[in-house]
Amino acid sequence: MSKVIEVNHPLIQHKITLIRDKHTGSKDFRQLVKEVSMLLGYEITRDLPLEEVEIETPIMKTKSKMLSGKKLGIIPILRAGLGMVDGILELIPAAKVGHIGLYRDPETLKPVEYYCKLPADVGERELIVVDPMLATGGSAAAAINFLKDRGATNIKLVNLIASPEGIAEVQKMHPDVDIYVASIDEKLNDHGYIVPGLGDAGDRLYGTK
Ligand code: URA
């Protein structure tokens, strides 16, 4: 079974409170989502492998550690996932970014891919799938399916706020994918919104209705 890591650092919790507040406008909301994503990035990258390299400081030759291993890819689920990309890219500027767009078929209620543009070597990368809200888990599970169909084997899912239902769905469909989240909320309401949540993340990021 995959791990669920609730990253409850005080700075993250403070910023999540501001993000939840309905009086926070789009400009601040975007900035806060970026900042929380960056802070989550610190935790997501905690287990990246290191190798010792030899360098020369102004004082002497020494051995010091640098990242080794797989290259990274950040995969936002459109549209709200875009808001989390820049914060993580500030920490990992060499990461490639792939995009997945999904909509729900009104008849089958199943997620359908309408856009998918990924790094060519997606199968060799460690992938970080980002979406601010893990609600039913349907989109995240489908996006991870699409990535696995294209050869991805090493995937982490990162959300700001998750419902217990969404976590259970992703864990059921993808027991190999660890989930990083700033807050696990109470439940989903009858309209599929997370309670207490923050409303519609895409609308709040981009000032739409
Ligand atoms: N998507 C959102 O943007 N908000 C929710 O509460 C659930 C899904």
Side-chain angles (χ1 to χ4, degrees):
M1 180 60 75
S2 66
K3 282 183 287 174
V4 179
I5 300 103
E6 192 176 12
V7 189
N8 51 10
H9 188 284
L11 283 174
I12 293 182
Q13 295 309 305
H14 176 83
K15 290 174 193 292
I16 285 286
T17 299
L18 296 172
I19 284 173
R20 289 185 191 280
D21 189 335
K22 70 176 187 181
H23 298 108
T24 299
S26 287
K27 177 172 169 288
D28 290 340
F29 189 93
R30 267 198 301 276
Q31 178 64 26
L32 288 158
V33 168
K34 179 177 173 182
E35 289 169 6
V36 173
S37 303
M38 193 191 307
L39 292 165
L40 286 171
Y42 185 81
E43 198 57 36
I44 301 158
T45 51
R46 182 178 285 285
D47 60 359
L48 290 182
L50 293 168
E51 63 183 344
E52 221 164 50
V53 296
E54 208 166 276
I55 54 157
E56 203 168 345
T57 74
I59 310 299
M60 62 176 286
K61 279 192 177 166
T62 186
K63 288 190 172 143
S64 196
K65 293 195 170 147
M66 288 191 85
L67 292 173
S68 67
K70 291 191 173 191
K71 300 223 165 73
L72 298 179
I74 305 168
I75 316 289
I77 301 177
L78 302 178
R79 139 184 87 136
L82 291 174
M84 297 179 68
V85 173
D86 285 353
I88 300 178
L89 268 182
E90 293 218 355
L91 290 184
I92 321 165
K96 295 254 162 70
V97 182
H99 297 84
I100 295 184
L102 304 165
Y103 71 90
R104 188 178 290 268
D105 183 299
E107 286 186 358
T108 64
L109 300 183
K110 291 211 164 31
V112 181
E113 178 189 304
Y114 68 84
Y115 188 82
C116 186
K117 196 87 176 165
L118 300 172
D121 56 353
V122 74
E124 274 97 68
R125 285 182 183 263
E126 197 167 309
L127 300 181
I128 302 169
V129 175
V130 295
D131 195 357
M133 309 301 276
L134 180 61
T136 63
S139 307
I144 294 167
N145 270 333
F146 295 137
L147 293 171
K148 287 183 174 176
D149 287 348
R150 288 162 173 97
T153 55
N154 191 333
I155 303 174
K156 289 174 174 158
L157 175 65
V158 185
N159 311 107
L160 300 189
I161 297 181
S163 71
E165 295 91 330
I167 289 173
E169 177 67 11
V170 172
Q171 285 193 311
K172 185 176 85 182
M173 304 297 291
H174 299 290
D176 55 315
V177 172
D178 289 341
I179 304 171
Y180 292 77
V181 60
S183 174
I184 301 172
D185 275 13
E186 205 184 311
K187 59 175 182 179
L188 287 181
N189 70 14
D190 294 342
H191 303 285
Y193 280 91
I194 299 177
V195 177
L198 52 72
D200 186 296
D203 282 346
R204 294 203 57 200
L205 274 166
Y206 300 115
T208 50
K209 258 278 175 297

